Amino acid sequence: MWLNESNRKKHFLYAIPLGLVFTILCVLGAASALEFKDTQYGNKWDWLDWIATMLGGIIGQIVQLFIIYLIIG
């Protein structure tokens, strides 16, 4: 599975708390910054790493919205 390759699990897992505490826009910036950093070190932009980070952020954002729903609702 593509998520088990490289360090994509870390991208996914570290993005969950970022999406939980902040927003998906913050995760978007972090995912893009991580990939930009990789290009600066001579590697290529890895869209699968970026997608793994965004998926983790989406999960975190869903949990955040669920917690807000429980508090308000």
Side-chain angles (χ1 to χ4, degrees):
M1 180 178 196
W2 66 272
L3 195 56
N4 294 328
E5 297 173 6
S6 183
N7 62 346
R8 293 191 183 115
K9 280 186 181 179
K10 288 183 182 178
H11 280 265
F12 180 77
L13 293 175
Y14 291 152
I16 292 173
L18 197 60
L20 177 65
V21 175
F22 299 107
T23 65
I24 196 65
L25 293 175
C26 180
V27 176
L28 174 69
S32 299
L34 286 170
E35 292 311 309
F36 178 75
K37 174 206 47 106
D38 286 346
T39 62
Q40 295 301 299
Y41 281 102
N43 298 323
K44 62 177 187 158
W45 186 283
D46 189 352
W47 283 106
L48 294 178
D49 280 355
W50 188 87
I51 290 170
T53 307
M54 291 303 296
L55 288 175
I58 289 169
I59 300 252
Q61 188 77 75
I62 289 170
V63 172
Q64 179 195 63
L65 293 172
F66 182 69
I67 290 171
I68 290 171
Y69 173 77
L70 289 177
I71 291 171
I72 293 176

